Amino acid sequence: MADFVCNKLTEWGLSELIDRFKDHRVDEESLYDLDDQHIKDLIPEVGPRAKFTKRLKQLKEEQNTTQAAAASPVPVLPSTSDKEAKILSDVKDIMGSVLKKLHRQDNTNLNNFLRAKIHDLKREKRELIGVFGRTGAGKSSLINAILGEKNLLPSGSVSACTSVMIKVEANIRSSKYEADIEFITPEEWKDEIWTMKQFLGNADEEWGDDEDRRDIIEKLSAVYREEWKHKSPENLMDIKYFSEIEEFLQSQRMTLTCGSAKELSLKLVKYTRSASRQGEIMRYYWPLVKCVTVKVPNNDLLQHVTLVDLPGSGDWNKSRAKMWKGIVGNCSTVWIVTEINRAASEEEAWEILTSTCSLMGNGGQCQRIHFICTKSDVIEDPDDDADVHAHIIQRNVTAKEEVIKKYGSLNQVKKHFSDDCFKVFTVSSTEFLKRKRLNPEDTEIPQLQYFLKDLNDYHSETLSYVTGAYGILSLMQGANSTEGAGKKTDVSAELEKNLSHQLGQVKKAVEDAHKAFETRLIEGVKKSQSSCERTMSSFLYRSHHGFYNTLKCVVEKDGVHKTKKGKQINLNVKLASWLTDSIDEEFRKTFPNEEKYGSFNGVISSFSLDTERLIKNNQSLKLQLIFLKTEEEKIKTKLNKIIRERKKTIYNSLTETIVEKMLDCYKRAAAFSGPDSLKYMRDTILEHVRVSKDMMFEEAKAAMLKLLNDLKDDILEKLEKTMRESTELSLKTDDNSIPDVPTELEMVKRYYNELKCSSKELDITF
């Protein structure tokens, strides 16, 4: 049988069929001629037959594409993503076949180790993009235009609500449009009703109908219309109000499935938007919704990207507020959307940036901030239609200059991000679709589409998987070789010496960072203790209209509140600001969000057991050392992910400790009602800060330093355990039960070299 057929069966994870195809003399030509009956005779088992049929169909389609390209004057080449998706699929099939072989062998230490390593290969990279902007700024239209789905998210005449998070991602299981709706719990809603009704009942009437009261009334009226006014929280939990959403009462998710984006959008309105007209009869359930995940079929821009339409912070519901904080901290990119006619002066847009920069920067993983100016096609009374295009282009240039200048003045924001992270786009979703005044490129929607396409790049995922597979197969083949047996002891000893040295380097780097943070935090604690009462007084003794209600909202929501005008109030961040300010610069240097820089001055990224030199000097042990080199890369990748998550916890612990110490104070302040309650709230907060300041900031410092020390211990433990175990099983274990994999190794090596040639990410030579 031709090598072509043998290689294809191995590539497809069907190497167990090779002997059967040999017996029936299936060569390359006859492979393409197999019909359904032939395949059924060759492969009676349903599972392998279905897999083979699918792969053969793909092979024939590739052949047809190649033939069409040869006949065409314009070359037809597969895209890089398509090519690498196929490589990834092929290597996954090969490793699936290898795993089956291992399952048929004895359960030795090496066998179990190899199986675990193959399972560990499976992981997916997903990028999160947070989309911020005030109601009416054009977020929904922007997302719809970029994704090529005109009617996906409700926009336009339908009034927006400001508390529901909407995730938009790919539907990889179905060709339908779907929405998963996650509700808050009935208990949380009952508590929220009680809090809101208490607030309305206690609000000082002399302040009139302020924005916080209107916000609560809008929420309760959405679910209950006018009935909430005369009923208790217990009565408002009657099941009759939730007959359309039984999933809410059962604490389950609701799934909507539709054949079109427009149909789904219409169904989503009552779960994501408020009433568009006064006196509407329909009930709206957005106050009960925690998050909506919209799943879009057949959209390549969402394969590895999730877009999240985010409200501002300061929600009445604590679980929704916690989810919001987690999502913002996990965003690698943030889009801030505002209308172009007031982009540089729009307070709410810049307030979003200034109030969340620490959560996205040092407390998160944001690498890119895109300031997106919408409605760039809207021109007031143009003098001459012929000049409209030039007028729009010139205004776009001016708007970009003004926005960049504004960002340049925000020193408190810039210290969290690199100099090149900020970009400005001037977009028109309307013109991108209609193309009356602007060509598509001038709308800048294509630039954002290209950006998403780059984020979806298969390369890093494919390269990581193939590199790991190459290492595993190298170890398996090396385990069956008797070459280099006399060198194993010496090489093992050298690897042990290198490991001890490298662990020492890592330990020193983390301990140096610990000392630097401790020094800065000591100064931060002193400033906190001397300034906290004065700063808190300057906030508490404001006398503007409606301040009683504002303060009431702040204490009801554990120190955090967002006004209807977009102003963010966070007493906990205020109190922690001297601590965070003292370490911000050092923290960003120690834990940069940019992937090209390494944490702890690059000590993890540079970790190496010098395996490349050992490979050159010990060719008889090349396969085992290749495995160890790939293990180095894998553990470094894994540790960088762990560090990225843990650094968020470390940084945010300063504010979290303040929250813990202030919670009792907020609860006591929130309990006041009636005459002089504003005075009692102020006195309670100020007295608590005065009494607590000596210990509160010291405890915040100690908590952060402990988390940093715990991270050091975990890094050292994982590095040592992983590399010692890998060395032990690759160089000190004799196991003849491991199956030979020469064909699989050769195929994966070919894929690996192909990827390495096009890669700037990996610098490994074997």
Side-chain angles (χ1 to χ4, degrees):
M1 180 178 65
D3 287 342
F4 177 83
V5 178
C6 178
N7 288 341
K8 283 299 170 188
L9 290 173
T10 303
E11 181 184 313
W12 297 344
L14 296 166
S15 56
E16 70 269 17
L17 300 177
I18 290 174
D19 290 341
R20 205 178 301 176
F21 275 59
K22 277 183 181 179
D23 293 342
H24 288 80
R25 299 180 183 178
V26 180
D27 59 14
E28 181 175 354
E29 183 180 351
S30 58
L31 181 69
Y32 284 104
D33 292 333
L34 291 176
D35 60 25
D36 290 345
Q37 188 57 49
H38 292 143
I39 295 170
K40 191 170 184 179
D41 292 341
L42 268 171
I43 316 172
E45 302 90 348
V46 174
R49 183 168 74 244
K51 192 173 183 180
F52 175 84
T53 303
K54 174 186 172 185
R55 286 298 191 171
L56 182 60
K57 181 182 177 184
Q58 291 173 342
L59 184 64
K60 289 179 179 179
E61 288 172 353
E62 288 169 16
Q63 185 191 44
N64 293 337
T65 301
T66 303
Q67 290 171 348
S72 171
V74 181
V76 181
L77 298 173
S79 71
T80 303
S81 292
D82 291 341
K83 182 180 177 183
E84 294 196 359
K86 184 182 181 305
I87 290 175
L88 183 60
S89 178
D90 288 347
V91 176
K92 283 183 176 181
D93 283 342
I94 290 170
M95 297 313 290
S97 176
V98 169
L99 189 60
K100 288 178 186 175
K101 289 183 179 182
L102 288 169
H103 278 300
R104 291 194 288 266
Q105 305 298 323
D106 296 335
N107 283 331
T108 63
N109 286 341
L110 182 56
N111 187 306
N112 291 333
F113 175 78
L114 289 166
R115 280 188 274 172
K117 289 294 175 184
I118 292 173
H119 283 300
D120 195 39
L121 288 173
K122 298 175 182 177
R123 59 187 182 83
E124 181 185 331
K125 180 182 178 183
R126 180 154 288 276
E127 299 280 349
L128 209 59
I129 298 179
V131 186
F132 288 97
R134 66 173 183 80
T135 297
K139 289 186 295 179
S140 297
S141 297
L142 174 70
I143 293 172
N144 290 348
I146 290 171
L147 298 181
E149 297 283 0
K150 184 179 178 181
N151 301 305
L152 182 64
L153 298 182
S155 61
S157 61
V158 183
S159 297
C161 96
T162 56
S163 62
V164 177
M165 288 166 279
I166 304 176
K167 297 180 183 179
V168 184
E169 58 187 41
N171 192 343
I172 57 175
R173 299 184 185 85
S174 167
S175 59
K176 299 286 189 181
Y177 290 83
E178 295 179 349
D180 285 339
I181 300 171
E182 181 181 356
F183 296 99
I184 62 175
T185 66
E187 293 75 18
E188 288 172 336
W189 178 237
K190 184 177 179 181
D191 289 344
E192 200 171 331
I193 293 172
W194 187 88
T195 301
M196 290 189 291
K197 293 206 50 136
Q198 283 287 109
F199 179 88
L200 293 175
N202 294 333
D204 193 341
E205 292 300 327
E206 72 176 273
W207 298 118
D209 186 26
D210 78 336
E211 59 190 31
D212 297 309
R213 288 174 60 84
R214 291 195 298 273
D215 185 30
I216 291 173
I217 291 169
E218 181 187 15
K219 228 178 205 185
L220 292 171
S221 298
V223 180
Y224 301 107
R225 299 197 291 272
E226 298 295 312
E227 295 179 44
W228 63 269
K229 294 180 178 178
H230 311 293
K231 295 195 175 183
S232 67
E234 289 75 15
N235 290 334
L236 290 174
M237 291 305 296
D238 192 301
I239 60 173
K240 71 179 182 181
Y241 294 114
F242 314 107
S243 57
E244 288 186 271
I245 49 169
E246 293 179 357
E247 292 86 349
F248 164 70
L249 295 173
Q250 298 160 1
S251 295
Q252 295 177 349
R253 295 191 180 206
M254 172 187 284
T255 300
L256 306 176
T257 303
C258 300
S260 70
K262 186 173 184 178
E263 182 187 355
L264 181 64
S265 180
L266 291 172
K267 285 188 177 182
L268 271 179
V269 167
K270 67 169 65 176
Y271 302 103
T272 60
R273 303 276 155 161
S274 57
S276 57
R277 298 183 300 275
Q278 283 293 106
E280 238 185 321
I281 296 174
M282 186 170 77
R283 294 186 189 279
Y284 288 81
Y285 298 114
W286 58 265
L288 310 177
V289 176
K290 188 174 182 181
C291 181
V292 174
T293 303
V294 176
K295 298 181 180 180
V296 183
N298 309 315
N299 197 303
D300 291 339
L301 295 179
L302 295 173
Q303 290 306 306
H304 296 278
V305 170
T306 296
L307 297 170
V308 192
D309 186 346
L310 286 159
S313 63
D315 200 288
W316 285 91
N317 181 268
K318 290 181 174 59
S319 68
R320 197 156 46 204
K322 184 179 180 181
M323 176 183 272
W324 178 92
K325 186 176 179 181
I327 289 174
V328 173
N330 288 334
C331 289
S332 62
T333 303
V334 166
W335 290 353
I336 297 177
V337 183
T338 188
E339 294 177 44
I340 193 169
N341 61 352
R342 47 181 181 173
S345 59
E346 169 60 63
E347 287 188 18
E348 187 164 348
W350 295 101
E351 177 71 22
I352 289 167
L353 187 54
T354 55
S355 64
T356 59
C357 62
S358 63
L359 188 56
M360 298 186 303
N362 281 341
Q365 61 186 70
C366 182
Q367 300 173 40
R368 296 163 291 268
I369 301 170
H370 293 168
F371 203 94
I372 301 175
C373 308
T374 60
K375 306 180 184 179
S376 67
D377 61 301
V378 178
I379 296 290
E380 292 183 7
D381 301 322
D383 297 328
D384 185 351
D385 285 345
D387 292 334
V388 169
H389 179 271
H391 190 166
I392 290 172
I393 298 302
Q394 182 53 52
R395 189 181 63 173
N396 289 351
V397 171
T398 303
K400 287 183 178 183
E401 290 172 350
E402 291 175 350
V403 168
I404 290 170
K405 183 179 178 181
K406 173 79 171 182
Y407 178 76
S409 68
L410 303 177
N411 294 326
Q412 282 294 105
V413 174
K414 291 195 301 177
K415 67 180 179 180
H416 287 275
F417 305 101
S418 65
D419 293 336
D420 59 352
C421 85
F422 188 78
K423 289 186 178 179
V424 186
F425 296 85
T426 50
V427 308
S428 171
S429 305
T430 302
E431 279 296 306
F432 179 70
L433 298 172
K434 294 184 177 179
R435 307 186 183 188
K436 289 183 178 179
R437 296 174 169 178
L438 301 173
N439 61 49
E441 287 298 318
D442 288 334
T443 69
E444 300 201 359
I445 295 292
Q447 286 90 315
L448 291 170
Q449 291 175 324
Y450 297 147
F451 171 72
L452 291 186
K453 186 175 181 296
D454 287 342
L455 281 187
N456 275 294
D457 186 15
Y458 274 95
H459 195 69
S460 59
E461 183 191 0
T462 304
L463 186 59
S464 174
Y465 191 96
V466 173
T467 302
Y470 180 36
I472 292 167
L473 294 173
S474 297
L475 176 58
M476 291 179 69
Q477 197 60 24
N480 287 310
S481 172
T482 57
E483 287 188 66
K487 288 188 170 185
K488 286 185 176 180
T489 302
D490 290 341
V491 171
S492 295
E494 191 160 357
L495 286 166
E496 177 62 36
K497 183 181 76 174
N498 293 345
L499 177 60
S500 295
H501 174 71
Q502 289 292 304
L503 289 173
Q505 294 289 99
V506 173
K507 183 180 180 187
K508 181 179 183 302
V510 182
E511 288 177 347
D512 286 348
H514 189 285
K515 289 176 186 174
F517 286 131
E518 186 172 22
T519 300
R520 286 160 176 76
L521 283 171
I522 288 171
E523 189 61 32
V525 168
K526 290 178 182 176
K527 287 183 179 178
S528 300
Q529 291 170 337
S530 63
S531 305
C532 60
E533 290 182 72
R534 183 171 63 254
T535 299
M536 194 56 61
S537 293
S538 68
F539 168 75
L540 290 173
Y541 283 93
R542 296 176 183 181
S543 57
H544 68 72
H545 179 78
F547 182 69
Y548 168 84
N549 289 341
T550 298
L551 184 57
K552 191 73 172 175
C553 287
V554 169
V555 295
E556 289 280 8
K557 293 186 269 188
D558 298 342
V560 184
H561 176 56
K562 175 182 176 256
T563 69
K564 271 287 189 181
K565 294 177 181 176
K567 182 69 177 175
Q568 306 279 340
I569 299 170
N570 193 323
L571 297 190
N572 308 307
V573 168
K574 280 182 184 294
L575 288 168
S577 61
W578 299 278
L579 295 175
T580 54
D581 285 348
S582 71
I583 63 163
D584 274 336
E585 186 179 342
E586 185 70 26
F587 201 91
R588 184 171 159 247
K589 187 176 77 174
T590 305
F591 300 106
N593 284 341
E594 297 75 24
E595 292 177 355
K596 60 184 175 182
Y597 306 116
S599 299
F600 300 110
N601 290 318
V603 72
I604 302 296
S605 302
S606 62
F607 177 90
S608 173
L609 301 186
D610 206 10
T611 43
E612 289 182 26
R613 181 184 62 81
L614 289 171
I615 288 171
K616 291 176 184 176
N617 297 337
N618 300 276
Q619 285 293 302
S620 58
L621 295 174
K622 180 179 178 179
L623 291 172
Q624 291 91 329
L625 291 168
I626 284 175
F627 166 71
L628 288 175
K629 181 61 183 173
T630 60
E631 281 298 283
E632 279 181 13
E633 296 305 314
K634 278 177 62 182
I635 188 60
K636 288 194 288 187
T637 299
K638 186 178 287 187
L639 282 175
N640 281 328
K641 282 191 170 184
I642 291 170
I643 291 169
R644 186 184 68 192
E645 292 305 312
R646 295 277 286 276
K647 75 103 170 178
K648 300 175 193 177
T649 306
I650 291 168
Y651 184 83
N652 292 325
S653 69
L654 293 173
T655 304
E656 292 301 321
T657 301
I658 301 300
V659 173
E660 289 174 20
K661 300 303 174 186
M662 291 294 294
L663 273 180
D664 178 64
C665 159
Y666 295 141
K667 286 179 182 175
R668 285 187 282 116
F672 290 114
S673 61
D676 295 327
S677 54
L678 176 59
K679 176 184 183 303
Y680 294 143
M681 284 195 288
R682 285 168 168 163
D683 291 348
T684 299
I685 295 169
L686 268 181
E687 178 64 13
H688 183 84
V689 170
R690 186 186 67 77
V691 171
S692 305
K693 67 180 182 179
D694 288 341
M695 292 302 299
M696 180 165 62
F697 301 108
E698 283 286 356
E699 288 179 23
K701 180 193 82 171
M704 179 187 151
L705 293 175
K706 181 183 184 304
L707 288 171
L708 186 60
N709 200 56
D710 291 344
L711 176 61
K712 178 194 74 174
D713 293 343
D714 286 349
I715 291 171
L716 292 172
E717 181 187 354
K718 283 181 171 61
L719 269 175
E720 184 173 8
K721 181 181 177 183
T722 299
M723 297 315 301
R724 280 224 164 94
E725 183 182 32
S726 297
T727 302
E728 182 81 25
L729 287 166
S730 57
L731 292 172
K732 299 180 182 179
T733 302
D734 294 320
D735 190 339
N736 297 320
S737 70
I738 302 302
D740 284 331
V741 287
T743 306
E744 292 91 338
L745 175 60
E746 189 57 36
M747 294 183 72
V748 172
K749 181 181 178 182
R750 178 161 49 84
Y751 281 137
Y752 169 78
N753 287 330
E754 190 178 334
L755 289 168
K756 193 176 69 167
C757 286
S758 63
S759 173
K760 296 178 182 177
E761 296 179 36
L762 196 63
D763 186 23
I764 310 175
T765 51
F766 297 128

